[in-house]
Amino acid sequence: MTLNAKTALVTGSTSGIGLGIACKLAEAGADVMLNGFGDVDAAIERVSAYGTRVLHHPADVSDVDQIADLVSRTERDLGSVDVLVNNAGIQHVAPIESFPVERWDTIIAINLSSAFHTMRLALPGMRERNWGRIINIASVHGLVASAQKAAYVAAKHGLVGLTKTVALETATTGITCNALCPGWVLTPLVQQQIDSKAQAHGDPSQATRELLMEKQPSLDFVTPEQLGELAVFLCSDAARQVRGVAWNVDGGWLAQ
Ligand code: NAD
């Protein structure tokens, strides 16, 4: 298996995309440090099914000290951080004039600054071993904008820029840094949007779901497992010269 004897740290991996990616990395042989909140036991059980070592740390990635603890505990308890997936993310939908200031700060901290911190803390170990794979989960909103998502769009554009910068700073090493930019993936984060749109417009949830799908020519959701398989590919030897790419996985959204 590609990732035997490797260790992966996946932020925000107790649900949705992060959990799907953690499963695929474990299936490929990696030991995994999970992070995030909610149904932690169910997440541990799902990822453990692949027979590798699985731990969980509930660090809040909006807090620098907790991020430092997350990285150092992964290195201490699993041996290293060979694969780093910056996936934790939240969003808020509101026009800029009424966008809550504290939500701006929190969204930037979780979706963007956390990746700066995990990368600066995990890179020294990767450099020592001259091997590392960093995968930042951005979004189509890292490449194009949508109205009413100021903080999310700014954070995801920032994450794409940060990905390219780190790719350049590691270009002569065995470390790569890339971003995945998903379109709609049906996770709790998107279900929340469907429910609140449906409530606001008095639409049944199915109609709202169809409206979302208009953006995505495939008329189908991307799945966490598909993103996990692409993450495993980015970890493979075949992908060692894939550097600084923001790879849209969006059912054709950005081809329009
Ligand atoms: P989700 O809500 O299902 O999962 C988010 C995860 O992050 C959970 O494990 C949660 O516990 C964790 N988390 C939230 N705040 C945290 C914090 N402060 N510290 C640590 N962990 C925290 O969301 P998702 O849809 O799976 O999204 C995952 C990532 O994918 C996000 O960065 C999101 O922006 C991105 N994304 C999602 C979609 C989509 O359609 N779902 C599309 C493009 C990009």
Short mmCIF file of all heavy atoms in Angstrom, two decimals, residues 171-211:
data_model
loop_
_atom_site.label_atom_id
_atom_site.label_comp_id
_atom_site.label_asym_id
_atom_site.label_seq_id
_atom_site.Cartn_x
_atom_site.Cartn_y
_atom_site.Cartn_z
N ALA A 171 9.98 23.33 -3.24
CA ALA A 171 10.05 22.78 -4.61
C ALA A 171 11.24 21.86 -4.85
O ALA A 171 11.17 20.96 -5.67
CB ALA A 171 10.05 23.92 -5.62
N THR A 172 12.34 22.06 -4.13
CA THR A 172 13.52 21.22 -4.37
C THR A 172 13.60 20.06 -3.38
O THR A 172 14.64 19.41 -3.26
CB THR A 172 14.81 22.06 -4.24
OG1 THR A 172 14.85 22.63 -2.93
CG2 THR A 172 14.87 23.17 -5.28
N THR A 173 12.52 19.81 -2.66
CA THR A 173 12.51 18.74 -1.64
C THR A 173 11.54 17.63 -2.04
O THR A 173 10.83 17.73 -3.05
CB THR A 173 12.07 19.30 -0.27
OG1 THR A 173 10.66 19.55 -0.33
CG2 THR A 173 12.79 20.58 0.08
N GLY A 174 11.45 16.64 -1.20
CA GLY A 174 10.49 15.55 -1.40
C GLY A 174 9.13 15.87 -0.78
O GLY A 174 8.34 14.96 -0.53
N ILE A 175 8.91 17.14 -0.53
CA ILE A 175 7.63 17.58 0.07
C ILE A 175 6.81 18.28 -1.02
O ILE A 175 7.34 19.13 -1.73
CB ILE A 175 7.88 18.59 1.21
CG1 ILE A 175 8.81 17.97 2.27
CG2 ILE A 175 6.58 19.08 1.82
CD1 ILE A 175 9.46 19.01 3.19
N THR A 176 5.55 17.93 -1.15
CA THR A 176 4.69 18.66 -2.08
C THR A 176 3.53 19.30 -1.33
O THR A 176 3.15 18.83 -0.25
CB THR A 176 4.11 17.74 -3.19
OG1 THR A 176 3.15 16.85 -2.60
CG2 THR A 176 5.20 16.97 -3.91
N CYS A 177 3.00 20.36 -1.90
CA CYS A 177 1.86 21.06 -1.29
C CYS A 177 0.87 21.41 -2.39
O CYS A 177 1.23 22.10 -3.36
CB CYS A 177 2.36 22.32 -0.58
SG CYS A 177 1.05 23.25 0.23
N ASN A 178 -0.33 20.89 -2.27
CA ASN A 178 -1.38 21.13 -3.27
C ASN A 178 -2.71 21.39 -2.59
O ASN A 178 -2.86 21.12 -1.39
CB ASN A 178 -1.51 19.89 -4.17
CG ASN A 178 -0.27 19.68 -5.02
OD1 ASN A 178 -0.02 20.43 -5.96
ND2 ASN A 178 0.52 18.65 -4.69
N ALA A 179 -3.66 21.89 -3.37
CA ALA A 179 -5.01 22.12 -2.84
C ALA A 179 -6.03 21.35 -3.65
O ALA A 179 -5.87 21.18 -4.87
CB ALA A 179 -5.33 23.61 -2.87
N LEU A 180 -7.06 20.86 -2.99
CA LEU A 180 -8.24 20.34 -3.68
C LEU A 180 -9.34 21.39 -3.55
O LEU A 180 -9.53 21.96 -2.47
CB LEU A 180 -8.69 19.01 -3.07
CG LEU A 180 -7.75 17.81 -3.26
CD1 LEU A 180 -8.31 16.58 -2.54
CD2 LEU A 180 -7.53 17.50 -4.73
N CYS A 181 -10.04 21.64 -4.65
CA CYS A 181 -11.08 22.68 -4.67
C CYS A 181 -12.42 22.05 -5.04
O CYS A 181 -12.82 22.05 -6.22
CB CYS A 181 -10.70 23.75 -5.69
SG CYS A 181 -9.16 24.60 -5.30
N PRO A 182 -13.12 21.50 -4.05
CA PRO A 182 -14.38 20.82 -4.35
C PRO A 182 -15.50 21.79 -4.70
O PRO A 182 -15.55 22.92 -4.23
CB PRO A 182 -14.73 20.09 -3.04
CG PRO A 182 -13.52 20.16 -2.19
CD PRO A 182 -12.74 21.38 -2.62
N GLY A 183 -16.42 21.29 -5.54
CA GLY A 183 -17.72 21.95 -5.72
C GLY A 183 -18.61 21.46 -4.59
O GLY A 183 -18.17 21.26 -3.47
N TRP A 184 -19.90 21.22 -4.89
CA TRP A 184 -20.83 20.79 -3.82
C TRP A 184 -20.58 19.35 -3.40
O TRP A 184 -20.56 18.45 -4.24
CB TRP A 184 -22.29 20.88 -4.28
CG TRP A 184 -22.80 22.26 -4.54
CD1 TRP A 184 -23.31 22.72 -5.72
CD2 TRP A 184 -22.91 23.35 -3.61
NE1 TRP A 184 -23.71 24.03 -5.58
CE2 TRP A 184 -23.47 24.44 -4.29
CE3 TRP A 184 -22.58 23.51 -2.27
CZ2 TRP A 184 -23.72 25.67 -3.69
CZ3 TRP A 184 -22.82 24.73 -1.66
CH2 TRP A 184 -23.38 25.79 -2.37
N VAL A 185 -20.39 19.17 -2.12
CA VAL A 185 -20.28 17.83 -1.52
C VAL A 185 -21.36 17.78 -0.46
O VAL A 185 -21.46 18.71 0.36
CB VAL A 185 -18.89 17.66 -0.83
CG1 VAL A 185 -18.70 16.22 -0.36
CG2 VAL A 185 -17.76 18.08 -1.76
N LEU A 186 -22.19 16.75 -0.47
CA LEU A 186 -23.31 16.72 0.49
C LEU A 186 -22.81 16.28 1.87
O LEU A 186 -22.73 15.10 2.18
CB LEU A 186 -24.42 15.79 0.00
CG LEU A 186 -25.73 15.87 0.80
CD1 LEU A 186 -26.27 17.28 0.86
CD2 LEU A 186 -26.77 14.93 0.25
N THR A 187 -22.45 17.27 2.68
CA THR A 187 -21.96 17.03 4.05
C THR A 187 -22.85 17.85 4.99
O THR A 187 -23.67 18.66 4.52
CB THR A 187 -20.51 17.54 4.18
OG1 THR A 187 -20.54 18.96 3.99
CG2 THR A 187 -19.58 16.89 3.16
N PRO A 188 -22.66 17.72 6.30
CA PRO A 188 -23.47 18.55 7.22
C PRO A 188 -23.37 20.04 6.90
O PRO A 188 -24.36 20.77 7.01
CB PRO A 188 -22.85 18.23 8.59
CG PRO A 188 -22.34 16.82 8.44
CD PRO A 188 -21.87 16.70 7.02
N LEU A 189 -22.19 20.50 6.44
CA LEU A 189 -22.01 21.92 6.13
C LEU A 189 -22.95 22.37 5.00
O LEU A 189 -23.54 23.45 5.05
CB LEU A 189 -20.54 22.16 5.74
CG LEU A 189 -20.05 23.55 5.41
CD1 LEU A 189 -18.68 23.78 6.05
CD2 LEU A 189 -19.92 23.74 3.91
N VAL A 190 -23.11 21.53 3.98
CA VAL A 190 -23.97 21.89 2.85
C VAL A 190 -25.44 21.63 3.19
O VAL A 190 -26.32 22.40 2.79
CB VAL A 190 -23.51 21.12 1.58
CG1 VAL A 190 -24.57 21.16 0.49
CG2 VAL A 190 -22.22 21.75 1.06
N GLN A 191 -25.70 20.57 3.94
CA GLN A 191 -27.08 20.29 4.34
C GLN A 191 -27.65 21.48 5.12
O GLN A 191 -28.80 21.88 4.92
CB GLN A 191 -27.14 19.01 5.19
CG GLN A 191 -28.57 18.52 5.46
CD GLN A 191 -29.36 18.20 4.17
OE1 GLN A 191 -28.87 17.49 3.31
NE2 GLN A 191 -30.55 18.76 4.04
N GLN A 192 -26.80 22.10 5.94
CA GLN A 192 -27.17 23.28 6.71
C GLN A 192 -27.62 24.40 5.77
O GLN A 192 -28.62 25.07 6.00
CB GLN A 192 -25.94 23.75 7.45
CG GLN A 192 -26.10 24.14 8.87
CD GLN A 192 -24.71 24.47 9.46
OE1 GLN A 192 -23.81 24.91 8.75
NE2 GLN A 192 -24.56 24.25 10.74
N GLN A 193 -26.85 24.60 4.69
CA GLN A 193 -27.19 25.65 3.72
C GLN A 193 -28.50 25.34 3.01
O GLN A 193 -29.31 26.22 2.76
CB GLN A 193 -26.10 25.75 2.66
CG GLN A 193 -24.91 26.55 3.10
CD GLN A 193 -23.93 26.68 1.95
OE1 GLN A 193 -24.17 27.36 0.97
NE2 GLN A 193 -22.82 25.97 2.06
N ILE A 194 -28.67 24.06 2.64
CA ILE A 194 -29.91 23.65 1.96
C ILE A 194 -31.09 23.93 2.89
O ILE A 194 -32.09 24.54 2.47
CB ILE A 194 -29.86 22.14 1.58
CG1 ILE A 194 -28.79 21.90 0.50
CG2 ILE A 194 -31.23 21.65 1.13
CD1 ILE A 194 -28.59 20.45 0.11
N ASP A 195 -30.95 23.55 4.15
CA ASP A 195 -32.06 23.72 5.10
C ASP A 195 -32.39 25.20 5.32
O ASP A 195 -33.55 25.59 5.33
CB ASP A 195 -31.73 23.06 6.45
CG ASP A 195 -31.63 21.56 6.32
OD1 ASP A 195 -32.08 21.02 5.29
OD2 ASP A 195 -31.08 20.92 7.24
N SER A 196 -31.32 26.05 5.46
CA SER A 196 -31.63 27.45 5.75
C SER A 196 -32.18 28.17 4.52
O SER A 196 -33.07 29.00 4.62
CB SER A 196 -30.44 28.19 6.36
OG SER A 196 -29.39 28.23 5.46
N LYS A 197 -31.70 27.81 3.32
CA LYS A 197 -32.27 28.38 2.10
C LYS A 197 -33.73 27.95 1.95
O LYS A 197 -34.60 28.75 1.62
CB LYS A 197 -31.51 27.85 0.87
CG LYS A 197 -30.49 28.81 0.27
CD LYS A 197 -29.88 28.13 -0.96
CE LYS A 197 -28.64 28.80 -1.46
NZ LYS A 197 -28.89 30.03 -2.22
N ALA A 198 -33.98 26.67 2.19
CA ALA A 198 -35.33 26.14 2.04
C ALA A 198 -36.29 26.85 3.00
O ALA A 198 -37.40 27.21 2.63
CB ALA A 198 -35.33 24.63 2.29
N GLN A 199 -35.80 27.09 4.22
CA GLN A 199 -36.62 27.76 5.23
C GLN A 199 -36.91 29.20 4.80
O GLN A 199 -38.05 29.66 4.84
CB GLN A 199 -35.85 27.78 6.55
CG GLN A 199 -36.70 27.46 7.73
CD GLN A 199 -35.83 27.35 8.99
OE1 GLN A 199 -34.66 27.77 9.00
NE2 GLN A 199 -36.40 26.82 10.03
N ALA A 200 -35.85 29.90 4.33
CA ALA A 200 -36.00 31.31 3.96
C ALA A 200 -36.97 31.49 2.80
O ALA A 200 -37.72 32.46 2.74
CB ALA A 200 -34.64 31.89 3.63
N HIS A 201 -36.93 30.56 1.83
CA HIS A 201 -37.75 30.74 0.62
C HIS A 201 -39.03 29.90 0.64
O HIS A 201 -39.79 29.90 -0.32
CB HIS A 201 -36.92 30.39 -0.61
CG HIS A 201 -35.69 31.24 -0.73
ND1 HIS A 201 -35.75 32.59 -0.96
CD2 HIS A 201 -34.38 30.95 -0.62
CE1 HIS A 201 -34.51 33.09 -0.98
NE2 HIS A 201 -33.67 32.10 -0.78
N GLY A 202 -39.24 29.17 1.76
CA GLY A 202 -40.44 28.33 1.84
C GLY A 202 -40.42 27.20 0.82
O GLY A 202 -41.46 26.65 0.45
N ASP A 203 -39.23 26.86 0.32
CA ASP A 203 -39.10 25.78 -0.68
C ASP A 203 -38.95 24.45 0.04
O ASP A 203 -38.29 24.37 1.06
CB ASP A 203 -37.79 25.95 -1.46
CG ASP A 203 -37.92 26.93 -2.58
OD1 ASP A 203 -39.06 27.32 -2.87
OD2 ASP A 203 -36.88 27.30 -3.14
N PRO A 204 -39.46 23.41 -0.55
CA PRO A 204 -39.07 22.11 0.00
C PRO A 204 -37.58 21.89 -0.24
O PRO A 204 -37.02 22.41 -1.20
CB PRO A 204 -39.92 21.10 -0.80
CG PRO A 204 -40.67 21.87 -1.81
CD PRO A 204 -40.36 23.33 -1.68
N SER A 205 -36.97 21.14 0.64
CA SER A 205 -35.52 20.95 0.59
C SER A 205 -35.05 20.37 -0.75
O SER A 205 -33.99 20.71 -1.26
CB SER A 205 -35.18 20.05 1.76
OG SER A 205 -33.96 19.49 1.62
N GLN A 206 -35.89 19.52 -1.37
CA GLN A 206 -35.49 18.92 -2.65
C GLN A 206 -35.31 20.00 -3.73
O GLN A 206 -34.38 19.94 -4.54
CB GLN A 206 -36.55 17.89 -3.06
CG GLN A 206 -36.27 17.17 -4.39
CD GLN A 206 -34.93 16.40 -4.39
OE1 GLN A 206 -34.41 16.05 -3.33
NE2 GLN A 206 -34.36 16.20 -5.57
N ALA A 207 -36.21 21.01 -3.75
CA ALA A 207 -36.13 22.07 -4.76
C ALA A 207 -34.84 22.86 -4.57
O ALA A 207 -34.16 23.23 -5.55
CB ALA A 207 -37.34 23.00 -4.63
N THR A 208 -34.49 23.13 -3.33
CA THR A 208 -33.27 23.88 -3.04
C THR A 208 -32.05 23.09 -3.47
O THR A 208 -31.10 23.63 -4.04
CB THR A 208 -33.19 24.19 -1.54
OG1 THR A 208 -34.44 24.73 -1.15
CG2 THR A 208 -32.09 25.17 -1.23
N ARG A 209 -32.10 21.81 -3.21
CA ARG A 209 -31.00 20.93 -3.60
C ARG A 209 -30.82 20.99 -5.12
O ARG A 209 -29.71 21.10 -5.63
CB ARG A 209 -31.40 19.51 -3.16
CG ARG A 209 -30.33 18.49 -3.26
CD ARG A 209 -30.94 17.16 -2.81
NE ARG A 209 -30.23 16.10 -3.47
CZ ARG A 209 -29.68 15.07 -2.84
NH1 ARG A 209 -29.75 14.98 -1.55
NH2 ARG A 209 -29.06 14.14 -3.50
N GLU A 210 -31.93 20.99 -5.84
CA GLU A 210 -31.84 21.06 -7.31
C GLU A 210 -31.26 22.40 -7.76
O GLU A 210 -30.50 22.48 -8.72
CB GLU A 210 -33.21 20.81 -7.94
CG GLU A 210 -33.54 19.33 -7.98
CD GLU A 210 -35.02 19.03 -8.18
OE1 GLU A 210 -35.76 19.94 -8.59
OE2 GLU A 210 -35.43 17.88 -7.89
N LEU A 211 -31.63 23.46 -7.03
CA LEU A 211 -31.11 24.80 -7.34
C LEU A 211 -29.58 24.83 -7.20
O LEU A 211 -28.87 25.35 -8.06
CB LEU A 211 -31.74 25.79 -6.36
CG LEU A 211 -31.77 27.26 -6.78
CD1 LEU A 211 -32.77 27.44 -7.92
CD2 LEU A 211 -32.18 28.12 -5.60
#
